[in-house]
Amino acid sequence: MISENVKAILDKLPDHVTLAAAAKTRSVDEILEAIDAGVTVIGQNYVQEAVAVADAIKGKASLHFIGHLQRNKVKKTVEVCDLIETVDSLKLAEEINRRSAAVEKTMSILIEINSGREPQKFGIFPEALEELVKDIAKLEHVRIKGLMTMGPYTDDSETVRPYFKETATCFQTLKDNPISGVDMEILSMGMSGSYKTAIEEGANLIRIGTRLFGLR
Ligand SMILES: *Cc1c(COP(=O)(O)O)cnc(C)c1O
C-alpha cells in the first residue's frame, strides 16, 4: 500500500517539488518501502526515531528533522540529520552551531515560521524573521536554506491558504533582499490535507505522513 501511495503522489508532483515522508511512529520497514517507491527525504519529529532509522536509510534518502527540537537533543540531531527544518530562535541556532563545529559540520537549517501567530505553537512570527535570519547568518557552522511552516491545524485546506501565502511572501522578500550567508532555496509547507494548496502557494518541499503510510 505504501508503495502505491508514494507513486500516486509522486506521479502528480511538479518536478520542482520534493516529497518528504513524515515518518513519525513508522517502522524502518515501512520507511524503506517508501524509499524504494521513490521517496528521497525522510522527516522525523523525535530524535530517538531519527537515530533509529539513520543507519538504515544512509545513502538512500536524506534525513530531515521536522519536530520541535530541544537544546539538549541538538548533539544527536546534528550527528544524524541532513537538515533541521524547525529552527525558531537564536539560542537554538547557537547550540546547533556549537555542536556542528565540534563535529566539523555545517548544518543546513530552515527557519520555522509561526504563520498562524498561535501562542501555543513553535516558530517565529513573520515580523521577527528578518532580525533572526541576520543573527543566525553570522554563525559559521549553520547555513539557512529556507523557511518552513505548519499553519493552523484544520481539515479545510482553503483555511490554511493565507498562512502559506504569508510564509511564501516572507520567503520571496528574503530572496529579493539577499543576506550574506543565507540561501533562500527551500520552502517547506503542506501536509496530507493541504499539500496541493501549499504547492499552489509556492512550496517546493512538502511533508506527507498519513497519505503515504495510513492513519497513525
Ligand atoms: C506529522 C507531520 C506532518 C505530516 O502530517 P500528515 O497530516 O500525517 O501528512 C508534516 N509535518 C510535520 C511537522 C509533522 O509533524
Side-chain angles (χ1 to χ4, degrees):
M1 225 20 226
I2 294 170
S3 173
E4 284 85 342
N5 294 342
V6 168
K7 284 176 181 151
I9 290 188
L10 284 179
D11 266 356
K12 295 199 191 114
L13 275 195
D15 284 345
H16 70 279
V17 180
T18 300
L19 168 64
K24 55 184 172 277
T25 76
R26 312 299 176 173
S27 70
V28 171
D29 282 348
E30 290 175 294
I31 292 169
L32 289 176
E33 183 177 343
I35 292 172
D36 280 341
V39 165
T40 57
V41 176
I42 300 299
Q44 287 291 17
N45 291 66
Y46 304 103
V47 179
Q48 303 94 296
E49 287 196 284
V51 169
V53 303
D55 280 342
I57 70 170
K58 209 180 215 98
K60 300 189 173 112
S62 57
L63 186 54
H64 289 192
F65 193 81
I66 62 172
H68 174 62
L69 181 55
Q70 291 166 311
R71 264 182 286 157
N72 62 350
K73 302 275 173 69
V74 165
K75 180 173 185 284
K76 275 273 163 236
T77 309
V78 160
E79 281 167 17
V80 301
C81 289
D82 302 293
L83 178 73
I84 300 172
E85 295 200 17
T86 46
V87 177
D88 62 358
S89 73
L90 181 58
K91 273 199 146 75
L92 177 59
E94 283 172 341
E95 180 63 9
I96 294 170
N97 188 60
R98 190 170 81 84
R99 294 298 187 175
S100 300
V103 293
E104 292 176 15
K105 185 168 178 173
T106 298
M107 193 69 219
S108 295
I109 65 164
L110 305 183
I111 305 297
E112 181 176 0
I113 312 282
N114 184 346
S115 52
R117 296 183 174 76
E118 298 166 281
Q120 76 280 15
K121 285 244 178 101
F122 298 109
I124 182 145
F125 286 9
E127 52 274 19
L129 174 63
E130 187 183 338
E131 189 185 337
L132 179 65
V133 168
K134 284 183 172 158
D135 286 341
I136 294 178
K138 295 175 193 145
L139 303 174
E140 210 177 320
H141 289 269
V142 172
R143 187 91 186 179
I144 298 175
K145 295 284 181 186
L147 306 180
M148 178 272 207
T149 199
M150 298 276 285
Y153 181 75
T154 160
D155 280 339
D156 172 29
S157 67
E158 283 310 313
T159 310
V160 77
R161 187 186 293 277
Y163 305 100
F164 290 159
K165 212 183 260 299
E166 180 167 13
T167 306
T169 301
C170 293
F171 183 77
Q172 195 56 47
T173 303
L174 286 169
K175 238 185 150 140
D176 293 343
N177 304 278
I179 295 168
S180 165
V182 175
D183 309 317
M184 273 297 132
E185 293 168 357
I186 302 174
L187 181 54
S188 174
M189 337 188 269
M191 321 201 302
S192 288
S194 60
Y195 74 94
K196 289 177 187 156
T197 307
I199 292 169
E200 285 165 12
E201 296 304 332
N204 58 20
L205 179 63
I206 56 174
R207 309 176 310 270
I208 311 276
T210 312
R211 256 183 181 251
L212 301 183
F213 299 109
L215 288 172
R216 282 181 294 275

